[in-house]
Amino acid sequence: MTTLLSSYRLGDLTLPNRMVMAPMTRARAAAGGLATPSMATYYAQRATAGLIVSEGVQPSLVGQSNPGTPGLHTEEQVASWRAVTDAVHINGGRIFAQLMHGGRVSHPDTTGHQPVGPSAIAAVGDVFTPSGPQPAPVPRALDTAEVPEHAHAYAEAARHAIDAGFDGVELHGANGYLISQFLSSNANLRTDRYGGTIAGRIRFALEAVAATVDAIGAARTGIRLSPGGGFWGVEETDALALNTALLTELTRLQLAYVHLELTTNEEVLIGLRRAWPSTLIVNPVLPMGPKQTDRAEADHWLTLGADLISFGRGFLANPDLVERLRTGLPIAPVDEHTYYQGGNAGYLTYPAYQYTA
């Protein structure tokens, strides 16, 4: 019988359990997008997860969305990550880097560059900047000839990730960032080969994934998607058809996995499970929503065909989440005020369960 504690073969990796630490922005990188010793401790504390997916890592400077996030586009950044991946591996873990190009969800005060996107349409809402939240600016629409450069930025960052000791990468195709913007029916109003029809709107995602597979291999490459999600004002009015077409094409590339968020109804996700014959990770709650994934929801999605289950806030507040779920121990709540505040409070200060005599 398959349970959360069953082992699983993912590419060349044997995962000791089916629990994935979901990618979570923590905004603790040093100046220049460098990983820090505290980040090494944070990830190593959670190395009992079957797989860790890192926080979003920008593949280029213009791709940076938020202040305080790490990168994988300079040699200094690559060197800084080696202490993190070493710490995870020494503790027996496995870690993929999530590659996240923010696209229009960025600001010149953060990067020194005007954000770019598929069309000159601003995201909905305020974006984070070094001086606080500001309205999302109108991005510069990429010329057709420029688009491949941004697709290949993921591949170059993936090469850097492997050099830095990561076991693989996950392309962030979800939550309203650049890949999601190209998939969108309202953020992408292009009339060239990267827009219009479903085939046009999935082209950027396919080129980014194919370039990454060419760079580091399919067994080391995954992608995260948020079908029908409305983050930053992005819409997918035809989520099932769009994502089915995308998964059908991705099947040819034989990726390590697809990682789906619960951003649409169960029926759509079950349909996407049928369209994707390989490893499926499901995040069973809406990101940033009121609920935190519990054992019952995880087990439910295992019965519906998910192979692995990702937990965000559960791992954030419980570095020993695997052990707590194995033994039925209480799950500690998360302090939302410490998500992005910097420093080690609410970062390294969540303890393992304290047994009393």
Side-chain angles (χ1 to χ4, degrees):
M1 178 180 176
T2 297
T3 73
L4 276 177
L5 300 172
S6 302
S7 64
Y8 187 79
R9 187 73 177 176
L10 180 70
D12 297 329
L13 301 174
T14 298
L15 313 187
N17 57 70
R18 295 178 182 238
M19 300 174 61
V20 176
M21 177 175 163
M24 292 175 283
T25 296
R26 303 307 310 276
R28 259 87 170 178
L34 303 181
T36 68
S38 289
M39 291 166 64
T41 301
Y42 169 75
Y43 285 113
Q45 286 175 340
R46 292 154 177 83
T48 53
L51 176 68
I52 293 171
V53 183
S54 80
E55 62 210 275
V57 181
Q58 55 260 17
S60 62
L61 181 56
V62 74
Q64 182 175 359
S65 182
N66 303 308
T69 55
L72 269 170
H73 54 90
T74 72
E75 291 303 320
E76 293 78 14
Q77 291 165 352
V78 171
S80 72
W81 276 110
R82 291 187 183 122
V84 178
T85 58
D86 283 349
V88 170
H89 292 146
I90 288 169
N91 276 23
R94 298 136 298 275
I95 183 168
F96 273 38
Q98 190 191 63
L99 304 180
M100 171 184 155
H101 191 310
R104 68 180 188 171
V105 186
S106 184
H107 198 280
D109 288 0
T110 299
T111 67
H113 298 275
Q114 183 183 6
V116 298
S119 300
I121 302 170
V124 175
D126 291 345
V127 295
F128 296 104
T129 77
S131 59
Q134 295 191 49
V138 175
R140 180 178 65 79
L142 290 167
D143 292 336
T144 302
E146 293 180 283
V147 175
E149 168 194 338
H150 290 268
H152 282 82
Y154 294 93
E156 187 59 30
R159 291 189 187 93
H160 286 151
I162 299 305
D163 190 25
F166 284 97
D167 297 296
V169 303
E170 174 182 285
L171 277 67
H172 197 347
N175 298 4
Y177 298 111
L178 186 62
I179 291 175
S180 177
Q181 291 159 31
F182 271 94
L183 295 174
S184 169
S185 49
N186 70 336
N188 180 355
L189 301 182
R190 302 177 72 94
T191 57
D192 63 1
R193 65 178 184 270
Y194 293 101
T197 64
I198 284 178
R201 298 202 328 268
I202 67 175
R203 190 183 306 277
F204 179 78
L206 293 173
E207 289 185 359
V209 173
T212 303
V213 167
D214 285 346
I216 66 169
R220 290 173 161 177
T221 305
I223 188 170
R224 194 178 208 211
L225 302 170
S226 52
F231 302 98
W232 299 106
V234 158
E235 295 179 2
E236 292 177 4
T237 55
D238 44 9
L240 179 58
L242 174 79
N243 287 278
T244 298
L246 176 58
L247 294 183
T248 299
E249 292 300 320
L250 289 175
T251 298
R252 309 177 200 278
L253 297 174
Q254 300 182 315
L255 300 188
Y257 66 78
V258 166
H259 188 176
L260 296 181
E261 298 178 3
L262 204 74
T263 46
T264 186
N265 62 60
E266 190 171 288
E267 182 180 355
V268 170
L269 292 181
I270 292 172
L272 296 178
R273 164 75 281 189
R274 296 191 191 103
W276 177 249
S278 189
T279 299
L280 180 69
I281 305 174
V282 170
N283 193 168
V285 299
L286 183 68
M288 303 303 294
K291 292 186 66 177
Q292 183 169 307
T293 301
D294 60 22
R295 180 66 183 267
E297 287 164 326
D299 289 341
H300 174 67
W301 276 99
L302 286 175
T303 65
L304 290 179
D307 299 296
L308 305 169
I309 304 296
S310 63
F311 297 76
R313 286 160 289 184
F315 269 116
L316 191 158
N318 301 269
D320 58 341
L321 182 63
V322 174
E323 178 67 9
R324 292 187 190 225
L325 290 179
R326 186 183 72 82
T327 57
L329 293 170
I331 306 301
V334 69
D335 180 1
E336 296 183 9
H337 296 97
T338 64
Y339 281 172
Y340 317 118
Q341 71 174 13
N344 289 335
Y347 191 58
L348 304 184
T349 52
Y350 288 108
Y353 186 79
Q354 303 297 309
Y355 290 90
T356 56

